Amino acid sequence: MATTKESADALVLFGATGDLAHKKIFDALYDNAKRGDLNVPVIGVAGDDWTIGQLRDRAREGINTFGGGVHDEKAFATLSHALSYIGGDYRHPATFERLAKTLHDAGAKRPAFYLAIPPSLFEMVIESLQTAGIAEGARVIVEKPFGTDLASAQELNRVLHKAFPESSIYRIDHYLGKEPIQNLLYFRFANSFLEPIWNRNYVDCVQVTMAEDFGVQGRGRFYEEVGTLRDVVQNHLLQTVSLLAMEAPNGADAESLRDEKAKVLRAMEPLRPDDFVRGQFEGYRQEDGVAPDSDVETFAAVGLCIDSWRWAGVPFYIRAGKNMPVSATEVRVALKPPPQNVFDERMSADANYVRFRLGPDVVSLAFGIRVKHPGEAFAGDSEELYVMEQTTEDMTAYERLIGDAIAGEALLFAREDEVEAAWEVVDPVLRDHPAAIPYKPGTWGPAEADALLAEGRSWHEPTS
Ligand code: BG6
């Protein structure tokens, strides 16, 4: 992708000894090194009193455990040589003075600061970067969760803007770095046959399901703070819907695309409690770090309206949950039936549809159509025209996103107005909502979610 800016000339990784670096970031940097794309020094910063040897071991262990494994020692050596480490308290100016000196010695003038640390530390770190005189000309990379509601997201944006203009802020939503999500965007705007039907005249409803066949995987404490609506709906799934529903951008540059996404997000009507069904899998309350009377949802289903010329009256149903029967993320755009039942047949309501499988293992695109049985009668079956894509784990989301942030390509990062507009959609129901309804692990969540759909419609259940 064409870059809009100069490349950063150093990557500073705050939280280098933490979980995110261990599980995702080192693996992504190693993959970048394998492609020959890791050309900047990587300066790890954290509170632990570690040696660089310990950090290198941790990186190797993280890649072996959570990534594809270290199979290319030359690439790992590139990463090892690029790495250095500053152990120091974020509260002490000396930590940032050492960082400033390290950057100066490396000749770096445009570092990228990756804040892989809790958001509560952002303000302190950003102010210290300014005091140390190293914020100017730099860019900053931040992770989800970007706030816990609209007010806290606005506050985080205020803190970031104290030192960085919006054009230097890269907010990671790793879904945007996924190949199938990019396929979706490409499919919509690289084909002409879709446009005439991609609107309220032909689309009956849109469903997005993100099902995971596992629970909270030891992350009970984290999950208690978020719940499904904050964890994946406000970000990954509303971003997915914005790509599905947006108008054509003027071009493939970051601002044109993000302008159109932001418009759709702003046109989404804020959710009301009746639009939201919450579920909790049985056994969640026994997880480590979970309150014995927790009401946090591990399943969320919402019915959403987009008040725009294109989509007025078309419901968008979004559903996400842990401990579902399968792991699958799927979008299904159901078309209205033909205006007349010429062959006098009983057909399912959504015989015509477009189905995008976004993962995890299979990435595909399929069209639902009716075809006639051979024989005398005008009777037929519902079939799928299946367009299989290769399974594209060619480049992981983090590898792509970190590479883009270093290169200065902002297309796949969420802009301030998008993030805040998405919070505005969910904000009214973050606290004012119905109680979570228990469901059995391995099921599609509480039956109450069916009532969100208008009569004649049902949830589509992706298969594994
Ligand atoms: C994360 C959520 O953002 O996305 C997790 O915190 C979720 O709860 C994960 O499991 C899903 O992402 P992926 O890439 O594993 O499908």
Side-chain angles (χ1 to χ4, degrees):
M1 217 151 280
T3 53
T4 48
K5 282 196 178 169
E6 279 182 299
S7 268
D9 50 14
L11 179 68
V12 178
L13 182 52
F14 287 98
T17 58
D19 228 32
L20 186 70
H22 189 212
K23 291 188 174 155
K24 300 278 188 193
I25 302 176
F26 288 128
D27 184 55
L29 292 172
Y30 164 71
D31 284 339
N32 279 324
K34 274 201 296 197
R35 282 178 201 273
D37 288 342
L38 183 65
N39 305 315
V40 294
V42 180
I43 306 159
V45 186
D48 299 287
D49 186 18
W50 281 17
T51 63
I52 181 63
Q54 278 174 293
L55 191 67
R56 287 181 180 136
D57 290 348
R58 169 89 162 172
R60 181 186 285 276
E61 202 257 312
I63 299 164
N64 282 332
T65 313
F66 301 103
V70 176
H71 301 297
D72 181 342
E73 285 298 337
K74 219 168 135 218
F76 188 79
T78 306
L79 172 61
S80 279
H81 289 135
L83 261 186
S84 58
Y85 182 64
I86 297 175
D89 197 315
Y90 297 144
R91 286 169 302 187
H92 295 161
T95 307
F96 294 85
E97 283 155 19
R98 281 168 65 200
L99 175 58
K101 182 170 182 324
T102 309
L103 287 170
H104 180 265
D105 292 349
K109 294 189 175 59
R110 293 180 311 279
F113 297 116
Y114 196 145
L115 306 186
I117 50 176
S120 53
L121 297 177
F122 284 8
E123 190 150 20
M124 184 197 299
V125 167
I126 286 173
E127 280 175 4
S128 304
L129 292 174
Q130 278 184 305
T131 311
I134 46 179
E136 207 177 318
R139 67 189 57 147
V140 65
I141 306 168
V142 292
E143 277 287 333
K144 101 173 232 288
F146 196 79
T148 52
D149 57 12
L150 177 60
S152 56
Q154 287 169 330
E155 172 59 14
L156 271 185
N157 279 328
R158 186 192 64 74
V159 166
L160 292 172
H161 286 150
K162 277 169 113 176
F164 300 98
E166 181 59 26
S167 58
S168 300
I169 302 172
Y170 292 71
R171 294 179 193 78
I172 290 191
D173 178 323
H174 81 281
Y175 249 57
L176 292 178
K178 284 179 181 258
E179 184 67 29
I181 297 286
Q182 301 191 6
N183 267 333
L184 193 75
L185 180 66
Y186 187 84
F187 173 71
R188 273 212 60 202
F189 298 116
N191 294 302
S192 61
F193 70 90
L194 217 52
E195 179 57 19
I197 58 167
W198 212 251
N199 55 50
R200 64 192 307 274
N201 299 321
Y202 287 89
V203 174
D204 177 61
C205 72
V206 178
Q207 291 191 19
V208 181
T209 294
M210 176 184 180
E212 292 176 314
D213 67 0
F214 47 83
V216 290
Q217 297 181 309
R219 295 195 307 158
R221 192 176 307 278
F222 160 77
Y223 219 75
E224 281 287 275
E225 302 286 311
V226 287
T228 307
L229 194 68
R230 286 188 177 92
D231 187 34
V232 298
V233 177
Q234 183 273 343
N235 35 70
H236 307 331
L237 299 184
L238 289 190
Q239 284 284 339
T240 305
V241 171
S242 74
L243 291 170
L244 276 170
M246 65 188 257
E247 299 300 315
N250 287 342
D253 61 288
E255 298 322 323
S256 301
L257 185 92
R258 301 195 296 180
D259 286 348
E260 296 305 333
K261 278 166 56 199
K263 271 195 228 162
V264 183
L265 289 160
R266 279 198 298 270
M268 288 178 188
E269 291 180 2
L271 293 172
R272 297 159 311 168
D274 286 355
D275 303 324
F276 183 22
V277 174
R278 305 170 68 242
Q280 187 186 81
F281 67 78
E282 290 172 9
Y284 173 71
R285 291 178 181 181
Q286 283 77 57
E287 297 272 345
D288 262 1
V290 171
D293 59 350
S294 171
D295 179 52
V296 167
E297 81 277 0
T298 60
F299 169 94
V302 300
L304 191 81
C305 299
I306 301 178
D307 189 14
S308 71
W309 188 274
R310 187 185 286 270
W311 295 114
V314 179
F316 284 71
Y317 301 114
I318 303 175
R319 181 173 63 154
K322 302 279 185 198
N323 267 331
M324 303 270 101
V326 296
S327 280
T329 300
E330 228 170 77
V331 169
R332 188 175 170 111
V333 179
L335 302 179
K336 292 181 177 172
Q340 202 187 357
N341 193 349
V342 175
F343 304 110
D344 202 20
E345 277 189 300
R346 280 169 62 88
M347 290 188 284
S348 69
D350 71 338
N352 288 166
Y353 58 83
V354 183
R355 183 169 71 81
F356 302 94
R357 170 74 167 225
L358 303 177
D361 308 316
V362 196
V363 180
S364 59
L365 168 58
F367 298 95
I369 52 165
R370 294 286 295 176
V371 284
K372 185 186 167 299
H373 286 313
E376 259 180 56
F378 276 111
D381 296 310
S382 291
E383 299 285 351
E384 265 202 346
L385 263 180
Y386 198 58
V387 185
M388 185 63 199
E389 303 260 358
Q390 71 217 95
T391 43
T392 45
E393 276 327 307
D394 174 42
M395 200 181 215
T396 65
Y398 268 89
E399 180 189 356
R400 176 178 280 126
L401 292 173
I402 293 175
D404 277 7
I406 291 174
E409 174 48 68
L411 185 79
L412 303 177
F413 297 85
R415 206 170 58 186
E416 173 189 22
D417 51 349
E418 291 177 66
V419 172
E420 291 186 8
W423 276 119
E424 272 177 50
V425 175
V426 300
D427 210 58
V429 297
L430 287 174
R431 284 163 207 96
D432 180 11
H433 51 221
I437 304 161
Y439 63 93
K440 295 218 172 312
T443 66
W444 285 103
E448 283 78 352
D450 297 350
L452 281 177
L453 278 62
E455 213 180 313
R457 296 188 184 121
S458 54
W459 287 103
H460 164 67
E461 293 175 357
T463 50
S464 54

